[in-house]
Amino acid sequence: MQITAAVAPEPGAEFVLEAVELDEPRADEILVRVTAAGLCHTDLITKDDPRRREPIVLGHETTGIVERTGREVTGVRPGDRVVLSYRSCGACRSCAAGDRAYCARARRLNGSGRRPDGSPTLTWRGAPLGGSFFGQSGFATHALATEDNAVRLDGAVDPLVAAPLGCGFQTGAGAVLNVLRPPPDGSVAIFGAGGVGLAALLAARAIGVGTTIAVDVLAERRELALRLGATAALDPGEGEVAARIGELTGGGATHAVEATGLAPVFEEALAALGTTGMLAVVGLGATSARLDLRDLLHRGKSVRGCIEGDAVPQRFIPELLALHAAGRFPLGELVTAYPFADINRAVADQRAGRVLKPVLTW
Protein backbone atom coordinates (compact mmCIF):
# COMPACT_ATOMS: atom_id res chain seq x y z
CA MET A 1 0.00 0.00 0.00
CA GLN A 2 1.12 3.57 -0.60
CA ILE A 3 1.78 5.66 2.49
CA THR A 4 3.51 8.93 3.33
CA ALA A 5 6.73 8.73 5.33
CA ALA A 6 9.49 11.03 6.56
CA VAL A 7 12.51 9.58 4.77
CA ALA A 8 16.06 10.21 5.98
CA PRO A 9 17.77 10.06 2.57
CA GLU A 10 21.43 10.26 3.60
CA PRO A 11 23.47 11.03 6.74
CA GLY A 12 23.26 14.71 7.65
CA ALA A 13 20.36 15.50 5.29
CA GLU A 14 16.98 16.76 6.45
CA PHE A 15 13.92 14.52 6.47
CA VAL A 16 11.76 14.60 3.34
CA LEU A 17 8.09 13.61 3.23
CA GLU A 18 7.67 11.12 0.41
CA ALA A 19 5.18 8.60 -0.96
CA VAL A 20 6.57 5.12 -0.28
CA GLU A 21 5.26 1.56 -0.53
CA LEU A 22 4.55 -0.43 2.62
CA ASP A 23 4.23 -4.22 2.50
CA GLU A 24 0.99 -5.93 3.40
CA PRO A 25 1.05 -7.35 6.95
CA ARG A 26 2.33 -10.91 7.17
CA ALA A 27 0.81 -13.59 9.39
CA ASP A 28 2.55 -12.33 12.56
CA GLU A 29 2.33 -8.58 11.81
CA ILE A 30 -0.11 -5.78 12.51
CA LEU A 31 -0.81 -2.71 10.40
CA VAL A 32 -1.04 0.44 12.51
CA ARG A 33 -2.32 3.84 11.40
CA VAL A 34 0.00 6.25 13.16
CA THR A 35 -1.51 8.99 15.31
CA ALA A 36 1.64 10.33 17.00
CA ALA A 37 5.38 9.67 17.12
CA GLY A 38 7.95 11.03 19.53
CA LEU A 39 11.27 12.38 18.26
CA CYS A 40 14.08 10.64 20.14
CA HIS A 41 17.82 11.25 20.37
CA THR A 42 18.34 7.74 18.97
CA ASP A 43 16.45 8.70 15.81
CA LEU A 44 18.78 11.64 15.24
CA ILE A 45 21.95 9.66 15.95
CA THR A 46 20.83 7.03 13.45
CA LYS A 47 19.78 9.65 10.87
CA ASP A 48 23.23 11.25 10.90
CA ASP A 49 25.35 8.12 11.35
CA PRO A 50 28.03 8.32 8.59
CA ARG A 51 28.09 4.51 8.43
CA ARG A 52 24.49 4.36 7.20
CA ARG A 53 24.39 3.19 3.58
CA GLU A 54 20.73 3.51 2.56
CA PRO A 55 17.75 5.82 3.05
CA ILE A 56 15.64 4.89 6.04
CA VAL A 57 12.36 5.64 7.79
CA LEU A 58 12.95 6.10 11.51
CA GLY A 59 10.62 6.63 14.46
CA HIS A 60 10.32 4.28 17.43
CA GLU A 61 7.99 6.01 19.89
CA THR A 62 4.68 5.51 18.13
CA THR A 63 1.01 5.49 18.98
CA GLY A 64 -1.69 4.47 16.55
CA ILE A 65 -4.80 2.47 15.77
CA VAL A 66 -4.61 -1.12 14.55
CA GLU A 67 -6.19 -1.39 11.11
CA ARG A 68 -5.37 -5.00 10.15
CA THR A 69 -3.77 -8.05 11.72
CA GLY A 70 -2.16 -11.21 10.37
CA ARG A 71 -3.84 -14.57 10.92
CA GLU A 72 -1.43 -15.56 13.72
CA VAL A 73 -2.03 -12.41 15.77
CA THR A 74 -4.21 -12.97 18.84
CA GLY A 75 -3.29 -10.24 21.35
CA VAL A 76 -4.54 -7.20 19.44
CA ARG A 77 -7.32 -6.66 16.95
CA PRO A 78 -8.47 -3.98 14.50
CA GLY A 79 -9.64 -0.85 16.29
CA ASP A 80 -7.28 -1.27 19.25
CA ARG A 81 -5.22 1.79 20.21
CA VAL A 82 -1.59 0.86 20.82
CA VAL A 83 1.79 2.29 21.69
CA LEU A 84 4.75 0.66 19.96
CA SER A 85 8.04 0.00 21.73
CA TYR A 86 11.16 -2.08 21.07
CA ARG A 87 11.15 -5.69 19.84
CA SER A 88 12.54 -8.77 21.58
CA CYS A 89 12.57 -12.42 20.56
CA GLY A 90 11.08 -13.84 23.78
CA ALA A 91 13.14 -17.01 23.49
CA CYS A 92 16.81 -16.24 24.23
CA ARG A 93 18.40 -16.51 27.69
CA SER A 94 17.93 -12.80 28.44
CA CYS A 95 14.28 -12.80 27.39
CA ALA A 96 13.59 -15.97 29.37
CA ALA A 97 15.07 -14.27 32.45
CA GLY A 98 12.79 -11.28 31.98
CA ASP A 99 15.57 -9.05 30.62
CA ARG A 100 13.95 -8.37 27.26
CA ALA A 101 15.82 -5.09 26.73
CA TYR A 102 19.00 -7.17 26.43
CA CYS A 103 17.60 -9.67 23.92
CA ALA A 104 20.29 -11.59 22.04
CA ARG A 105 18.56 -10.72 18.75
CA ALA A 106 17.98 -7.06 19.58
CA ARG A 107 20.20 -5.72 16.82
CA ARG A 108 18.49 -7.73 14.08
CA LEU A 109 15.00 -7.05 15.40
CA ASN A 110 15.42 -3.32 16.01
CA GLY A 111 18.26 -1.91 13.95
CA SER A 112 18.86 -3.95 10.81
CA GLY A 113 16.43 -2.00 8.61
CA ARG A 114 14.75 -5.26 7.63
CA ARG A 115 12.50 -7.97 8.99
CA PRO A 116 14.34 -10.74 10.84
CA ASP A 117 14.38 -12.81 7.63
CA GLY A 118 16.12 -9.98 5.78
CA SER A 119 13.14 -8.84 3.70
CA PRO A 120 12.28 -5.11 3.52
CA THR A 121 8.94 -3.72 4.68
CA LEU A 122 9.33 -0.51 2.63
CA THR A 123 10.28 0.43 -0.93
CA TRP A 124 10.96 3.88 -2.37
CA ARG A 125 11.58 4.80 -5.99
CA GLY A 126 11.68 1.12 -6.89
CA ALA A 127 14.38 0.17 -4.38
CA PRO A 128 14.30 -1.25 -0.83
CA LEU A 129 14.05 1.42 1.84
CA GLY A 130 15.36 0.95 5.37
CA GLY A 131 12.48 0.25 7.74
CA SER A 132 11.43 -1.96 10.66
CA PHE A 133 13.23 0.53 12.94
CA PHE A 134 12.58 -0.85 16.43
CA GLY A 135 10.08 -3.09 14.66
CA GLN A 136 7.95 -0.15 13.52
CA SER A 137 9.42 2.89 11.63
CA GLY A 138 6.76 5.21 12.98
CA PHE A 139 7.66 8.39 11.07
CA ALA A 140 4.92 7.55 8.59
CA THR A 141 1.17 7.49 8.19
CA HIS A 142 1.22 3.71 8.71
CA ALA A 143 3.63 1.22 10.24
CA LEU A 144 4.03 -2.54 10.41
CA ALA A 145 4.63 -3.92 13.90
CA THR A 146 4.15 -7.15 15.85
CA GLU A 147 2.46 -8.28 19.03
CA ASP A 148 5.71 -8.36 20.95
CA ASN A 149 6.29 -4.61 20.58
CA ALA A 150 2.66 -3.43 20.80
CA VAL A 151 1.01 -2.37 24.05
CA ARG A 152 -2.76 -1.84 24.09
CA LEU A 153 -3.94 1.54 25.38
CA ASP A 154 -7.02 2.64 27.21
CA GLY A 155 -9.19 4.86 25.04
CA ALA A 156 -8.74 7.85 27.35
CA VAL A 157 -4.94 8.05 27.02
CA ASP A 158 -3.59 11.10 25.20
CA PRO A 159 -1.41 9.87 22.30
CA LEU A 160 0.95 12.84 22.78
CA VAL A 161 1.73 11.54 26.26
CA ALA A 162 1.74 7.84 25.40
CA ALA A 163 4.02 7.94 22.34
CA PRO A 164 7.31 8.79 24.17
CA LEU A 165 6.66 5.94 26.58
CA GLY A 166 7.77 3.65 23.76
CA CYS A 167 11.39 4.60 24.47
CA GLY A 168 12.51 7.89 26.02
CA PHE A 169 10.13 8.25 28.96
CA GLN A 170 10.25 4.50 29.57
CA THR A 171 14.05 4.66 29.67
CA GLY A 172 14.31 7.52 32.16
CA ALA A 173 11.56 6.30 34.45
CA GLY A 174 12.78 2.71 34.30
CA ALA A 175 16.32 3.72 35.23
CA VAL A 176 14.90 4.95 38.54
CA LEU A 177 12.03 2.54 39.18
CA ASN A 178 13.53 -0.69 37.81
CA VAL A 179 17.29 -0.27 38.25
CA LEU A 180 18.22 2.26 40.94
CA ARG A 181 15.15 1.86 43.18
CA PRO A 182 16.13 4.64 45.59
CA PRO A 183 14.47 4.75 49.03
CA PRO A 184 12.51 7.80 50.24
CA ASP A 185 15.47 8.98 52.30
CA GLY A 186 17.83 8.63 49.33
CA SER A 187 18.96 11.19 46.79
CA VAL A 188 18.98 11.09 42.99
CA ALA A 189 21.21 13.32 40.87
CA ILE A 190 20.20 13.49 37.22
CA PHE A 191 22.77 14.59 34.67
CA GLY A 192 21.01 15.85 31.55
CA ALA A 193 17.53 17.30 32.01
CA GLY A 194 16.14 16.38 28.60
CA GLY A 195 13.15 14.11 28.05
CA VAL A 196 14.88 11.03 29.46
CA GLY A 197 16.38 12.86 32.42
CA LEU A 198 13.19 14.63 33.41
CA ALA A 199 11.21 11.40 33.11
CA ALA A 200 13.72 10.01 35.63
CA LEU A 201 13.12 13.05 37.83
CA LEU A 202 9.34 12.56 37.68
CA ALA A 203 9.74 8.89 38.54
CA ALA A 204 11.88 9.72 41.58
CA ARG A 205 9.30 12.29 42.67
CA ALA A 206 6.49 9.76 42.13
CA ILE A 207 7.99 7.34 44.67
CA GLY A 208 8.75 10.08 47.18
CA VAL A 209 12.54 10.34 46.98
CA GLY A 210 13.49 13.14 49.34
CA THR A 211 16.28 14.84 47.39
CA THR A 212 16.33 15.18 43.59
CA ILE A 213 18.95 17.23 41.77
CA ALA A 214 18.98 18.09 38.06
CA VAL A 215 22.17 19.12 36.27
CA ASP A 216 21.92 20.76 32.85
CA VAL A 217 23.63 23.50 30.82
CA LEU A 218 20.33 25.05 29.71
CA ALA A 219 18.63 27.48 32.08
CA GLU A 220 15.18 26.64 30.65
CA ARG A 221 15.60 22.99 31.51
CA ARG A 222 16.85 23.76 35.00
CA GLU A 223 13.82 26.00 35.54
CA LEU A 224 11.47 23.26 34.31
CA ALA A 225 13.14 20.74 36.62
CA LEU A 226 12.46 23.03 39.58
CA ARG A 227 8.82 23.48 38.51
CA LEU A 228 8.51 19.69 38.38
CA GLY A 229 9.68 19.43 41.98
CA ALA A 230 13.47 19.06 41.88
CA THR A 231 15.16 19.99 45.14
CA ALA A 232 17.89 21.82 43.21
CA ALA A 233 18.98 22.45 39.62
CA LEU A 234 22.68 23.01 38.97
CA ASP A 235 24.49 24.72 36.11
CA PRO A 236 27.62 22.67 35.29
CA GLY A 237 29.14 25.82 33.81
CA GLU A 238 29.58 27.12 37.35
CA GLY A 239 31.92 24.22 38.14
CA GLU A 240 32.35 21.96 41.18
CA VAL A 241 29.21 19.97 40.45
CA ALA A 242 30.26 16.95 42.52
CA ALA A 243 31.17 19.16 45.48
CA ARG A 244 27.84 21.03 45.33
CA ILE A 245 25.93 17.73 45.17
CA GLY A 246 27.96 16.54 48.16
CA GLU A 247 26.82 19.62 50.12
CA LEU A 248 23.18 19.14 49.13
CA THR A 249 23.15 15.46 50.04
CA GLY A 250 25.46 15.30 53.03
CA GLY A 251 28.31 13.46 51.36
CA GLY A 252 27.20 12.53 47.84
CA ALA A 253 24.15 11.24 46.03
CA THR A 254 22.93 7.75 46.84
CA HIS A 255 21.93 7.33 43.19
CA ALA A 256 22.52 9.08 39.87
CA VAL A 257 21.37 8.93 36.25
CA GLU A 258 23.68 9.89 33.37
CA ALA A 259 21.51 10.84 30.39
CA THR A 260 23.84 12.88 28.19
CA GLY A 261 26.14 10.24 26.69
CA LEU A 262 29.13 12.53 27.27
CA ALA A 263 32.29 11.09 28.85
CA PRO A 264 33.13 14.13 31.06
CA VAL A 265 29.56 14.15 32.39
CA PHE A 266 29.76 10.44 33.18
CA GLU A 267 32.96 11.08 35.11
CA GLU A 268 31.32 13.95 37.03
CA ALA A 269 28.27 11.82 37.82
CA LEU A 270 30.43 9.04 39.22
CA ALA A 271 32.38 11.54 41.33
CA ALA A 272 29.09 12.95 42.67
CA LEU A 273 28.07 9.62 44.22
CA GLY A 274 28.43 9.04 47.91
CA THR A 275 29.76 5.84 49.48
CA THR A 276 28.03 2.75 47.98
CA GLY A 277 26.23 5.02 45.51
CA MET A 278 24.95 3.63 42.22
CA LEU A 279 25.01 5.25 38.76
CA ALA A 280 22.70 4.22 35.93
CA VAL A 281 24.05 5.08 32.46
CA VAL A 282 21.33 5.65 29.85
CA GLY A 283 22.90 8.24 27.50
CA LEU A 284 23.98 7.11 24.03
CA GLY A 285 27.16 8.72 22.72
CA ALA A 286 30.62 8.25 24.22
CA THR A 287 32.35 4.88 23.83
CA SER A 288 34.95 5.38 26.58
CA ALA A 289 35.51 7.39 29.74
CA ARG A 290 37.96 7.48 32.66
CA LEU A 291 37.24 5.53 35.83
CA ASP A 292 38.84 6.34 39.18
CA LEU A 293 39.24 2.73 40.24
CA ARG A 294 40.42 3.62 43.74
CA ASP A 295 37.31 5.72 44.31
CA LEU A 296 35.15 2.94 42.85
CA LEU A 297 36.77 0.32 45.06
CA HIS A 298 37.26 2.11 48.37
CA ARG A 299 33.83 3.77 48.39
CA GLY A 300 31.90 0.78 47.07
CA LYS A 301 30.38 2.60 44.12
CA SER A 302 28.73 0.80 41.21
CA VAL A 303 27.92 1.62 37.60
CA ARG A 304 25.04 0.01 35.74
CA GLY A 305 24.21 0.27 32.05
CA CYS A 306 20.50 0.56 31.36
CA ILE A 307 18.68 0.07 28.05
CA GLU A 308 14.98 0.91 27.70
CA GLY A 309 14.70 1.29 31.46
CA ASP A 310 15.13 -2.48 31.91
CA ALA A 311 11.42 -2.52 31.12
CA VAL A 312 9.08 -5.12 29.70
CA PRO A 313 6.80 -2.66 27.87
CA GLN A 314 3.59 -4.66 28.25
CA ARG A 315 3.95 -4.41 32.04
CA PHE A 316 5.81 -1.15 32.57
CA ILE A 317 4.00 1.23 30.21
CA PRO A 318 0.60 0.54 31.86
CA GLU A 319 2.24 1.17 35.26
CA LEU A 320 3.54 4.56 34.09
CA LEU A 321 0.17 5.46 32.59
CA ALA A 322 -1.49 4.62 35.91
CA LEU A 323 0.92 6.97 37.69
CA HIS A 324 0.13 9.63 35.08
CA ALA A 325 -3.62 9.17 35.53
CA ALA A 326 -3.17 9.56 39.29
CA GLY A 327 -1.38 12.88 38.77
CA ARG A 328 1.96 11.53 40.04
CA PHE A 329 3.77 11.41 36.68
CA PRO A 330 2.82 14.59 34.75
CA LEU A 331 4.29 13.75 31.37
CA GLY A 332 2.24 16.40 29.61
CA GLU A 333 4.69 18.98 30.96
CA LEU A 334 7.44 17.49 28.80
CA VAL A 335 5.86 17.24 25.33
CA THR A 336 5.30 19.70 22.48
CA ALA A 337 3.13 18.77 19.47
CA TYR A 338 4.26 19.37 15.87
CA PRO A 339 2.56 18.49 12.58
CA PHE A 340 4.54 15.80 10.74
CA ALA A 341 5.10 18.31 7.95
CA ASP A 342 7.20 20.32 10.42
CA ILE A 343 9.50 17.45 11.37
CA ASN A 344 12.66 19.36 10.46
CA ARG A 345 11.57 22.34 12.57
CA ALA A 346 10.94 19.94 15.45
CA VAL A 347 14.48 18.57 15.05
CA ALA A 348 15.96 22.08 15.02
CA ASP A 349 13.93 23.17 18.05
CA GLN A 350 14.93 20.11 20.05
CA ARG A 351 18.61 20.49 19.21
CA ALA A 352 18.51 24.17 20.16
CA GLY A 353 16.86 23.36 23.47
CA ARG A 354 13.68 25.28 22.66
CA VAL A 355 11.55 22.21 23.37
CA LEU A 356 12.11 19.09 25.41
CA LYS A 357 10.24 16.29 23.65
CA PRO A 358 8.69 16.97 20.23
CA VAL A 359 5.81 14.67 19.34
CA LEU A 360 4.77 14.56 15.68
CA THR A 361 1.15 14.16 14.69
CA TRP A 362 -0.72 13.60 11.41
Side-chain angles (χ1 to χ4, degrees):
M1 63 181 289
Q2 188 176 87
I3 65 170
T4 299
V7 177
E10 61 186 29
E14 289 191 336
F15 290 103
V16 290
L17 289 183
E18 294 280 335
V20 305
E21 289 293 325
L22 179 67
D23 249 9
E24 295 297 313
R26 293 186 176 179
D28 62 341
E29 293 176 336
I30 62 177
L31 175 67
V32 177
R33 176 169 59 82
V34 174
T35 52
L39 182 63
C40 181
H41 182 59
T42 303
D43 294 312
L44 301 184
I45 286 180
T46 306
K47 180 179 86 71
D48 294 330
D49 187 343
R51 297 169 298 178
R52 182 164 61 83
R53 292 291 178 261
E54 69 174 353
I56 190 170
V57 177
L58 301 165
H60 64 290
E61 299 177 343
T62 306
T63 56
I65 300 170
V66 176
E67 289 198 339
R68 278 186 281 156
T69 63
R71 64 180 182 277
E72 296 175 2
V73 175
T74 59
V76 296
R77 59 189 179 186
D80 283 347
R81 299 176 69 230
V82 293
V83 59
L84 304 179
S85 188
Y86 70 91
R87 289 207 64 192
S88 55
C89 74
C92 68
R93 179 183 298 179
S94 293
C95 287
D99 299 324
R100 285 181 173 262
Y102 306 97
C103 173
R105 300 184 69 199
R107 170 66 182 143
R108 178 175 290 275
L109 291 170
N110 294 288
S112 69
R114 301 287 191 272
R115 291 183 174 100
D117 66 3
S119 62
T121 57
L122 294 164
T123 57
W124 180 45
R125 299 177 179 175
L129 173 63
S132 297
F133 191 60
F134 282 71
Q136 53 189 281
S137 287
F139 289 170
T141 53
H142 293 77
L144 287 178
T146 58
E147 284 186 270
D148 69 75
N149 69 322
V151 181
R152 294 173 62 184
L153 293 174
D154 182 275
V157 175
D158 183 350
L160 293 178
V161 168
L165 290 173
C167 182
F169 292 171
Q170 174 176 252
T171 295
V176 172
L177 301 179
N178 298 332
V179 177
L180 297 179
R181 300 180 181 180
D185 62 351
S187 52
V188 179
I190 296 158
F191 291 76
V196 172
L198 289 183
L201 170 67
L202 290 178
R205 295 285 300 156
I207 59 174
V209 176
T211 303
T212 52
I213 303 165
V215 182
D216 201 279
V217 296
L218 295 177
E220 297 86 355
R221 291 185 177 181
R222 296 195 301 272
E223 292 165 4
L224 177 57
L226 291 172
R227 291 202 304 274
L228 293 173
T231 308
L234 306 181
D235 180 358
E238 295 178 359
E240 301 297 330
V241 171
R244 284 186 282 162
I245 289 175
E247 293 171 0
L248 289 165
T249 58
T254 62
H255 301 84
V257 176
E258 200 301 294
T260 72
L262 301 173
V265 180
F266 163 82
E267 294 162 12
E268 191 77 64
L270 191 58
L273 289 177
T275 300
T276 68
M278 182 178 185
L279 170 64
V281 178
V282 302
L284 178 64
T287 56
S288 63
R290 294 176 300 174
L291 277 175
D292 184 336
L293 295 179
R294 287 182 179 273
D295 183 50
L296 202 68
L297 174 65
H298 292 301
R299 300 188 66 192
K301 297 180 181 182
S302 57
V303 179
R304 171 71 147 75
C306 173
I307 295 175
E308 295 288 354
D310 274 30
V312 176
Q314 285 76 9
R315 290 202 301 264
F316 193 55
I317 289 176
E319 291 173 8
L320 295 180
L321 287 171
L323 285 174
H324 174 70
R328 297 170 58 197
F329 196 52
L331 297 174
E333 298 285 339
L334 309 184
V335 302
T336 302
Y338 288 80
F340 253 101
D342 289 342
I343 185 171
N344 292 311
R345 180 167 65 87
V347 171
D349 286 352
Q350 186 184 49
R351 283 177 165 162
R354 290 186 286 269
V355 298
L356 199 73
K357 168 62 77 170
V359 179
L360 303 158
T361 63
W362 289 106

